[in-house]
Amino acid sequence: MSHPLGEYELVIGLETHVQLKTATKLFCGCATRFGAEPNSQVCPICTGMPGMLPVLNRHAYELGVRAALALHCEIAPFTKFDRKNYFYPDLPKSYQISQFDVPISKNGWLEAAGEGHTVRVRIHRAHLEEDAGKLLHPESPVGRADYSLVDFNRSGVPLLEIVTEPDLTTPADAHAYLTELKQVLQYTGISDCDMEKGSLRCDANVSVRLRGATVLGTKTEIKNLNSFKFIVKALEHESERQIRVLEGGGRVVQETRLWDPVVGETRVMRSKEEAHDYRSFPDPDLQPFVITAEEVERIRRTLPEMPAARRRRFVESSGLTERDAEILTADRAIADYFEACAALHAAPKLLANWVIGELRKEMNERHLEAESLAEKLPPARLVELARLVEDGKITRLVGKDVLAEVLTSGAAAGRIVADKGLAQIADAGALEPLVDKVIAANGKTVADYRAGKKPALAALIGQVMRETKGKANAPLVTKLLQDRLGA
Ligand code: ADP
Ligand code: MG
Ligand code: ZN
């Protein structure tokens, strides 16, 4: 990585908020659906009316435990909720219900695939809390209007805050961690992790210190990071800024900074002196919550195989490359699909090539979701097509067209090949006249080839392939051309 670190090293810790995939909010029965009419999913509880009483959403609690288990955390047998007090117009109660000293889980870890090495990050804690509302700042004809609006649909939506130890040392590793975290949470059905919809938000803490130093430098916290790309950029930029400060004889000030994606810089939001004193105390409206070891085990048993384990299995038992395994496991539905295909075929690698190459391309072009893939193209259909190519019944080139046709018409590959006469031509007698024709029509290319320009042969092969609409056996065409041209 081209990061002008000099004799400095970076220390990074991430605080990630993910929205838990529940139908209703954390402490009331309001819906959590994204994109609804403003203030259409609210009630006295999530708008903080006097006398309201919150009740914990059991599903949210279980999803939190599920996430914590996926992150190898210890689950607290006893947990409680606290009020975090501060004033802001999007916070109707003037406190957020969160977890202060007894979070649902702590002391976990996650391993991510970094560039050429494994990134291991300890998870400090993961706790439940409610989201705030959303402020809207309308535009008027003369600029920003002199009032703001607030939408409480998001108020009370369940979040899990996942806090790492300061274990990351490069922006690229931070990216790898977030990618893995997102994958794990999506695999386990805990969150959509859709940054555009705000269901994954990340604050990045960073400090620098002289390489080998044992104490941590003073950190700053960067907010307003709404894409992984911005997180990397912000970390690079902010660490460079800190190094410049230190090199100039100054001291880094502990503060919260905002990332400005337009200018590509961070700027001060508030300093430590302005930091809130949240005066946290246990929420008297909510009972402490107890979970038994049996319940924890019951939730643990419902966890699917994690993406890292699946990648390893794909490499070790299916003979795929790390890169192939990474692509195939990025989306759980694609990985499931690949496995369903591989179960019907002795050479998983060949099927992986189809899925990674042609099939993904077709899916992109057709806006086909991975979830509906098996329905559109049953695994047996793809395997049939792959076999037609392997057995030499059709060429690889024709196979690509047949795949598109199978997806469009839903017909079996063998049927399409028979109906359209797409079988491979591997008969010298049938190809010789075409070879002669191409030689006769491309005098210049033939002369080039004979004059020693070897790449000219590829052009002639291409011509013969075109004459046969891709059906000719390419090695045979090559041999016939070479024989004729006296190579
Ligand atoms: P705060 O009290 O400011 O919220 P915490 O100790 O709770 O700080 O840590 C918040 C996040 O910052 C964690 O992810 C932690 O790993 C990270 N962090 C803490 N100290 C440092 C540091 N010196 N440099 C980089 N990251 C740090
Ligand atoms: Mg903190
Ligand atoms: Zn409500």
Side-chain angles (χ1 to χ4, degrees), residues 25 27-31 41-47 155:
K25 295 185 180 179
F27 299 112
C28 66
C30 293
Q41 296 173 168
V42 296
C43 74
I45 295 172
C46 55
T47 51
S155 171

Side-chain angles (χ1 to χ4, degrees), residues 381-444:
R381 283 271 147 100
L382 183 68
V383 172
E384 184 202 350
L385 172 62
R387 286 229 173 86
L388 287 174
V389 174
E390 285 151 41
D391 297 346
K393 301 258 166 44
I394 57 175
T395 63
R396 171 104 200 156
L397 212 59
V398 166
K400 293 178 182 181
D401 294 340
V402 173
L403 175 63
E405 186 63 28
V406 171
L407 281 165
T408 303
S409 68
R415 182 80 265 144
I416 293 167
V417 170
D419 287 354
K420 301 204 161 179
L422 297 174
Q424 169 155 230
I425 309 173
D427 164 15
L431 291 174
E432 270 157 3
L434 292 173
V435 166
D436 290 340
K437 184 177 155 196
V438 165
I439 289 175
N442 294 275
K444 166 107 177 58

